[in-house]
Amino acid sequence: MASPVRVHPDSALLQPTRSGSVFSESSLAHLKREEMDVENLELVDSKPRLDSSERGLTGLYLSCFDMLFTEEAAWLVRVADSSGSVSVGPRLEPCPEPEQCPVIDSPGLGGEPLSPGLEDQVEERSLEQVQSLVVGEVLKDIETACKLLNITPDPVEWSCGNVQKWLLWTEHLYRLPQVGKAFQDLDGKDLCAMTEEDFRQRSPQCGDTLHAHLDIWKSAAWMKQRCSVGESRITAGEELWSEADSSCSGQPIHLWQFLRELLLKPHSYGRCIRWLNKEKGIFKIEDSAHVARLWGLRKNRPAMNYDKLSRSIRQYYKKGIIRKPDVSQRLVYQFVHPV
DNA sequence: TAGCAGGAATACT
DNA sequence: AGTATTCCTGCTA
């Protein structure tokens, strides 16, 4: 079954954790039921690829490019016909994000057996990485759908037409029977107020599936709202260590922020930079050249290298932002004020 | 050889 | 002005 997100069959991954996934267990479990054939999760790149030779890989997602550039053309015409207003173009450009490390960092792989305690830590980290990966992919797919359908991410704001677009999209994506008519009189508010039972009554075949997907959209909208509220609430002092994504702020990004961004996305960058001790803010740059290249890309400094990047890090010593840990190790640094 | 430390000049915002 | 970049010398593992 085609789906933008595939979740590891291990149901433990679907449980809410202290890292705070807001996607309800039932929603994710529903997706799990639909598509769970993924065993080699760690092999997956988080970026869409056009290379057809790679489509056969067991993947975490159905590439949005697959969806957009192949069979979707005909489908989009259908959406346009049914809603009368969807604008298909402009074609989504491949994300200009810097190249990413395709493999989830897996400490211990191929190495010595880990002690039980360490094993627990590794397992917990892997779970967090997978969950963060899944949530990230869900959010990306929602964003893609919003652009394509020209609808807002928050279902509550949808008009009846928006609801129909979303239904068509979801039906198409998950190969569901067409049930748009059963929901044709509803706008976003109505839809969001409906229980799973209401959905089943309107569509016995796939009401539960639609309800689960809507639940995910609602959760994503909630997350987004929470994020924006948080940004406006933080004070200048708190801003330093907030979770706010610096890429949205419009301000030039600082190197320490950039490093934290990488560290907060272990599923994408865990291979080039990772926490050694998150509580203490100790991290290790595993691939100095790669991190420098990413920094150079972000700052549009093609000549950036680790020598220069590390000089910038050392400038933070005096400012009390980053320091060397008590036991100095190569490529290991420590945030003075950990999260 | 790569990484580290820090001075100094310069560029950028 | 603050921050980052660039280049440098010298040191260390």
Side-chain angles (χ1 to χ4, degrees), chain A residues 89-233:
Chain A
R91 211 162 105 144
L92 295 182
E93 294 295 329
C95 181
E97 224 174 288
E99 61 179 300
Q100 300 195 352
C101 309
V103 181
I104 292 174
D105 187 31
S106 308
L109 277 181
E112 294 291 312
L114 298 170
S115 66
L118 202 55
E119 212 167 15
D120 286 349
Q121 282 181 18
V122 167
E123 195 179 334
E124 191 178 326
R125 222 184 75 193
S126 298
L127 292 182
E128 284 181 9
Q129 286 178 343
V130 170
Q131 207 168 38
S132 148
L133 175 59
V134 169
V135 170
E137 291 306 314
V138 169
L139 294 177
K140 265 192 273 178
D141 287 316
I142 287 177
E143 200 178 323
T144 302
C146 288
K147 282 182 193 161
L148 252 172
L149 304 176
N150 193 24
I151 61 177
T152 65
D154 189 352
V156 175
E157 297 169 11
W158 292 346
S159 65
C160 295
N162 293 159
V163 169
Q164 289 301 308
K165 281 188 204 172
W166 175 79
L167 283 168
L168 257 175
W169 167 261
T170 308
E171 288 160 9
H172 174 83
L173 212 55
Y174 301 98
R175 309 279 193 270
L176 305 175
Q178 289 187 27
V179 294
K181 274 190 179 167
F183 297 83
Q184 64 184 0
D185 52 336
L186 302 171
D187 64 14
K189 250 183 206 161
D190 302 329
L191 204 67
C192 290
M194 285 169 62
T195 64
E196 188 173 348
E197 191 49 42
D198 296 332
F199 268 80
R200 271 204 220 95
Q201 275 178 8
R202 294 206 180 222
S203 170
Q205 276 179 292
C206 58
D208 51 349
T209 305
L210 289 169
H211 181 264
H213 285 296
L214 183 69
D215 209 32
I216 288 171
W217 278 69
K218 282 155 73 176
S219 301
W222 180 83
M223 277 177 78
K224 203 167 180 175
Q225 192 183 22
R226 192 189 58 165
C227 175
S228 60
V229 167
E231 273 173 25
S232 62
R233 187 173 39 82

Side-chain angles (χ1 to χ4, degrees), chain A residues 1 7 14 25-37 196 200 208-209 212:
Chain A
M1 144 159 275
V7 183
L14 303 168
E25 187 182 342
S26 67
S27 307
L28 289 176
H30 194 93
L31 291 181
K32 176 192 147 202
R33 282 203 302 277
E34 289 181 328
E35 46 192 289
M36 302 305 102
D37 58 347
E196 188 173 348
R200 271 204 220 95
D208 51 349
T209 305

Side-chain angles (χ1 to χ4, degrees), chain A residues 13 29 38 52 57 86 92 97 108 113 130 139 161 163 177 180 202 220 228 262 295 301 306-307 320-321 333:
Chain A
L13 299 184
V38 181
S52 58
L57 284 175
V86 76
L92 295 182
E97 224 174 288
V130 170
L139 294 177
V163 169
R202 294 206 180 222
S228 60
L262 298 188
W295 177 233
R301 290 277 174 176
Y306 181 69
D307 192 38
I321 296 173
Y333 297 92

Side-chain angles (χ1 to χ4, degrees), chain A residues 66-85:
Chain A
D66 288 342
M67 294 188 284
L68 291 176
F69 298 150
T70 54
E71 58 197 292
E72 245 54 17
W75 175 81
L76 284 168
V77 172
R78 265 175 51 210
V79 174
D81 286 348
S82 73
S83 70
S85 65

